[in-house]
Amino acid sequence: MLELRDVAYAYAGAPALRDVTLRVGQRELVALAGPNGSGKSTLLKLIARVFAPQRGTIAFEGTPLAQWLGKDYAKRVGYLPQDPDPAFPMRALDVVVTGRAPYLGRFAWESARDWDEARAALALCDAEHLAERYLDEMSGGERKRVFLARVLAGQPRLILLDEPLAALDLAHVQQFAALLRDVVDRTGATVLFAAHDLNWAAAHSDRMLVMQQGALALDAAPSEVMRAEVVRALFGLEVETVARDGRTWIVPRVT
Amino acid sequence: MNDERTAAGSPSSFIVHRSSFGVALLALSALLVLSIALGVRFGATPIHWNDPTSRTILLQIRLPRVLLAAAIGAALAVAGVTFQTLLRNPLADPFILGVSGGAACGAAVSAALGLSRIPGLVPLIAFAGACGATAAVFLLARRRDHTDPTRLLLSGLVLNAFFSAVILISFGLARQSDLTAALRWMMGTVAGATWTAVALVVAFLVVTMLILAWFANDLRMLAFGEEDAKARGVDVERVTLAGFAAASIVTGAAVAVSGIIGFVGLLVPHLIRLIWRRDFRFLLPLCALGGAALMAGADLVSRVSVPDAELPIGAFTAILGVPFFLSLLRRAR
């Protein structure tokens, strides 16, 4: 579905991504892990067509990104930036329905179907009750769900989420991660989410892409990443591992 | 407020959206017609339709004046809402961005140099000043194919300071007779409006609104930021450039004809948003109607409030608008 080959990108001469090559298939739940500044956000932005890669190629469904029409691509690939914030107060439902924008023609208004899709997306995110509330009256977790609904309203095949679990408390992380799993199961879409927290990334994904200084350092199942020697090699951090209910968690050694 | 509660209970809120937009369009249109009618009806001399002199005053002086005020109000409000949308900043308006300052600078300097004796020259220079200022602000704020809203506002502020300095110097050097013309221009006025001026501003307004309507669906997506809009398939650079060009040109046309009339571009979009709070596609026509109604009303008040005198219309847009705005702001969330 998605294929990157030797993709590189630099901000004003400072390299952010070096020669990233990877493939992502359908119905995958993939975590993009790695420390701050390792290139996770940049990689998502390149896939979302916010920037174009300076070297290498990205192809979606066999077609290079540059050859996709903007709106056609936006119908298939949904992107949730780290801190989306509308400039003026908006109701949740009005925010969610903007997810239908790629389907609107020029001079067109949302049809009854667009509003129905928006409501359905809110329902899928367990946020129907928020529909008429204003974003600036919501908690961080509620906003995240509204913005996920906005992405889902466009019915994308590939969903890119930049740090969706950051700034959520424990209970909301669990809830939101379960929601991501649900989205993959119910819509058949692929979810690629960035998460700097290795434990959460591993607990809530089927596959992990670990970034390190702009390069793809490891592409493996969570069980293979969550090992003390791997974490030491990738993060330069001494950790212990704890196995619970078939999952492995890492615990940093506090000195 | 009631509107929100009915929306919550109804099965599909899109019907509510449509109807409240329809209501808003109707209400503002009615307000505009009313203020134009009152503006034509009342003035320094009473109007008697059977009297030829009276009819000439009505058709050649008062009607074009009221319509010019309305067209300029619409132009400034449309420019204001466009700048606010483009910059994601509620403080943006044609004045803060230096567009009006550029026009004022061109006009004041040429008037102070005595060029106002040549008909049509000062407005032309004012228009050139508005376009030049926009281009300068835009180029200053551009770095590597990217226009940064904060840099844009800052560039506008700095250029405004520069324009003010140039205007003051030109006043200092001007002769007394030329100074009056320049000052009158700085205060802003729709007195002495001609049908040509009306046609000119309306033409610019219509073209601008068509351009903005063409991009309306893209412009509203900018609310979530440039990167978000790009990921949704919006050609951000093209939309930004088109929006800026359209809003600046219509500002230039308005300022070139009437001088500087402040506050409309900032006030009207906020009023509309406080009442209806909708996206750009709703705001564009509503701001045009609201701006037109406010200016036609302000023009009437400026003519009739003090007998045998005419007060600056710009002052009345503020005096009419500010209390209304403040009361809405206090009641709003």
Side-chain angles (χ1 to χ4, degrees), chain B residues 107-108 111-112 167 171 176-189 260:
Chain B
I167 289 170
F171 280 5
Q176 195 62 42
S177 56
D178 296 326
L179 196 59
T180 319
L183 262 180
R184 197 177 135 70
W185 207 88
M186 294 293 297
M187 273 167 38
T189 178
I260 290 193

Side-chain angles (χ1 to χ4, degrees), chain A residues 59-248:
Chain A
F60 178 75
E61 288 178 350
T63 309
L65 292 207
Q67 286 173 29
W68 279 93
L69 280 178
K71 302 259 168 188
D72 286 342
Y73 191 69
K75 283 178 195 169
R76 289 166 178 83
V77 180
Y79 167 62
L80 175 59
Q82 219 168 101
D83 294 303
D85 181 32
F88 300 98
M90 279 177 93
R91 293 184 321 159
L93 189 61
D94 293 330
V95 170
V96 175
V97 87
T98 60
R100 302 289 299 169
Y103 295 88
L104 287 188
R106 215 168 271 292
F107 304 121
W109 300 82
E110 285 84 3
S111 65
R113 192 192 152 197
D114 292 317
W115 289 102
D116 289 345
E117 296 285 357
R119 286 194 176 276
L122 270 173
L124 191 64
C125 295
D126 207 9
E128 240 176 336
H129 60 289
L130 301 174
E132 312 295 334
R133 297 242 322 259
Y134 281 86
L135 272 188
D136 50 354
E137 295 169 340
M138 291 180 194
S139 72
E142 290 171 333
R143 285 173 67 108
K144 283 262 153 87
R145 277 187 286 168
V146 169
F147 276 105
L148 180 64
R150 176 171 181 254
V151 170
L152 294 179
Q155 293 173 324
R157 308 300 307 144
L158 173 62
I159 298 170
L160 309 165
L161 309 170
D162 200 350
E163 293 286 356
L165 306 179
L168 296 184
D169 61 49
L170 275 181
H172 281 101
V173 167
Q174 297 286 21
Q175 248 179 43
F176 198 87
L179 184 58
L180 293 185
R181 171 79 61 191
D182 220 37
V183 166
V184 173
D185 290 344
R186 282 210 232 170
T187 68
T190 288
V191 171
L192 177 57
F193 71 97
H196 63 266
D197 188 312
L198 262 189
N199 278 324
W200 292 133
H204 301 296
S205 68
D206 300 328
R207 176 181 166 193
M208 290 177 77
L209 304 170
V210 187
M211 305 286 296
Q212 195 184 26
Q213 291 177 2
L216 181 60
L218 190 62
D219 176 354
S223 59
E224 290 169 52
V225 178
M226 300 300 271
R227 296 208 306 245
E229 67 273 19
V230 175
V231 174
R232 187 189 308 124
L234 289 174
F235 289 80
L237 188 68
E238 290 300 331
V239 295
E240 283 168 16
T241 56
V242 179
R244 279 274 190 290
D245 307 325
R247 285 211 177 100
T248 312

